[in-house]
Amino acid sequence: MDLPTLWFAAIAVLWIGYFVLEGFDFGVGILLPFLGKTNTDRRVMINAIGPVWDGNEVWVLTAGGAMFAAFPAWYASLFSGFYLPLFLVLLALIVRGVAFEYRGKVDSVQWRARWDQAIFWGSAIPALLWGVAFANIVRGVPMDADHIVTANLLDLLNPYALLGGLTTLSLFTLHGAMFLSLKTGGEVRLQARRAVPMIALVAVPAAAGFLLWTQVSYGTTWTLPLVAIAALTLVAAVALALRGREGWSFTATATTIAVATVVLFGSLFPNVLPSTTNPAYSLTVENAASADYTLSVMTWVAVIFLPVVLGYQSWSYWVFRKRITREHIEPTLVPAGRPGDA
């Protein structure tokens, strides 16, 4: 395997890590107004991801940095052509992070309600737009000989991309429900388990349709069994959740997300951004890559520091592995004359 191909695979792994880990963060945020019937329950949900959500976001920063260093032409064309959706993703992530920090700063029901809405939208918008963006990357975009993307917003909102957005939105929501049933106790856990069948009514057909469309239109021979694996693990995840096998059901949704991401990158290769204007204008692993010296230095840096990062993140998950329940939440004191919901 040459260095450009190696780094294409490495970037795929980084996006897999981001979607699997940040996926359940997004799911918890999306479910916050639906499962959190009281302020205490909403605090249980937020505390379940509190120690890890910011660490999970490091994966997307690393993936973006790796794309910039390893494939600068891909990074330039992608971020200029997808400027609006990526700007909305960035804005949503900023608002979401601020909401986590500021939600408890003022002892007011209205204050917390506004930040809860910010958490919901800050989770739902990226969950939707990441699917739209990656579907368009696989499908290809109008791009000229200078690798300038000429697509407008309507070009990006095509049926295949919208189905991709619905797939990531529903799949991350299901992943979040699995995580809550595994990580919390009491009423939140029960609500999360009850939500699984309803979410699955959207997630399973959406994911199956999107993966089948991807395979038929853009897939290769070796991605076909991966599509089948992703579909089977998704169905297994729902079945395991209904039987109360929470650890295995969460593992199954994580596997579905990981394998589906491999299908997308496998369908894309050897392109990194296909051109629908003329296939000759497409960016490929070879013509978009940095020099071998740059890729060699990046490889050594990754070999040295990646185990440290993985070790630290694994340790943090182990430290905060216990379930969160209402008993772990201190009561919220509401000023006199202002009814609370804690």
Side-chain angles (χ1 to χ4, degrees):
M1 182 183 297
D2 57 11
L3 285 175
T5 303
L6 175 65
W7 271 99
F8 178 83
I11 289 170
V13 170
L14 291 172
W15 281 106
I16 290 171
Y18 176 66
F19 287 146
V20 169
L21 297 177
E22 190 79 335
F24 69 74
D25 284 354
F26 288 148
V28 172
I30 293 166
L31 292 170
L32 186 66
F34 303 103
L35 303 189
K37 302 302 182 182
T38 68
N39 179 55
T40 301
D41 286 344
R42 289 191 288 273
R43 290 178 64 191
V44 168
M45 296 173 67
I46 293 171
N47 284 10
I49 61 173
V52 298
W53 71 266
D54 49 354
N56 293 342
E57 286 191 350
V58 172
W59 286 83
V60 73
L61 299 176
T62 307
M67 291 172 66
F68 172 77
F71 300 99
W74 183 19
Y75 181 92
S77 295
L78 183 64
F79 278 76
S80 60
F82 290 63
Y83 181 82
L84 180 58
L86 292 178
F87 173 78
L88 291 176
V89 168
L90 177 60
L91 181 62
L93 292 178
I94 292 173
V95 170
R96 176 171 169 264
V98 171
F100 283 136
E101 299 295 335
Y102 276 76
R103 182 185 185 276
K105 298 298 184 183
V106 176
D107 195 6
S108 164
V109 175
Q110 291 77 15
W111 172 272
R112 289 192 293 268
R114 294 190 189 100
W115 288 117
D116 287 345
Q117 287 296 313
I119 292 172
F120 170 78
W121 290 109
S123 302
I125 290 173
L128 173 69
L129 292 183
W130 281 130
V132 172
F134 270 85
N136 275 297
I137 292 172
V138 173
R139 176 180 178 268
V141 293
M143 185 166 59
D144 61 23
D146 295 322
H147 300 144
I148 297 174
V149 176
T150 58
N152 55 41
L153 183 60
L154 292 179
D155 293 326
L156 300 180
L157 299 179
N158 54 79
Y160 175 69
L162 292 176
L163 180 58
L166 178 62
T167 299
T168 51
L169 177 64
S170 58
L171 198 55
F172 290 166
T173 305
L174 182 65
H175 196 36
M178 301 294 190
F179 177 78
L180 287 174
S181 66
L182 175 65
K183 190 70 172 72
T184 65
E187 185 63 23
V188 174
R189 179 187 181 191
L190 294 176
Q191 291 288 346
R193 292 178 63 176
R194 294 188 190 116
V196 167
M198 293 181 288
I199 303 169
L201 289 176
V202 178
V204 172
F210 179 66
L211 288 171
L212 182 61
W213 192 340
T214 300
Q215 177 61 36
V216 171
S217 300
Y218 314 105
T220 62
T221 303
W222 71 270
T223 59
L224 180 59
L226 296 179
V227 170
I229 292 172
L232 289 174
T233 53
L234 180 57
V235 173
V238 178
L240 288 166
L242 295 177
R243 293 178 58 187
R245 305 296 297 274
E246 295 156 346
W248 284 110
S249 63
F250 177 75
T251 302
T253 53
T255 302
T256 299
I257 294 171
V259 174
T261 307
V262 174
V263 170
L264 292 178
F265 276 89
S267 301
L268 181 62
F269 185 81
N271 293 317
V272 292
L273 189 61
S275 171
T276 57
T277 304
N278 187 331
Y281 301 159
S282 298
L283 285 169
T284 68
V285 168
E286 295 299 329
N287 67 19
S290 294
D292 283 347
Y293 177 78
T294 300
L295 297 178
S296 298
V297 171
M298 290 176 60
T299 302
W300 282 109
V301 171
V303 167
I304 295 171
F305 288 102
L306 184 59
V308 177
V309 174
L310 291 177
Y312 173 77
Q313 192 159 27
S314 300
W315 173 80
S316 65
Y317 273 91
W318 175 255
V319 170
F320 297 103
R321 66 189 182 278
K322 293 184 178 180
R323 290 184 184 271
I324 305 296
T325 65
R326 288 178 174 178
E327 286 71 27
H328 295 104
I329 304 299
E330 296 180 359
T332 300
L333 298 178
V334 181
R338 301 174 70 177
D341 61 349

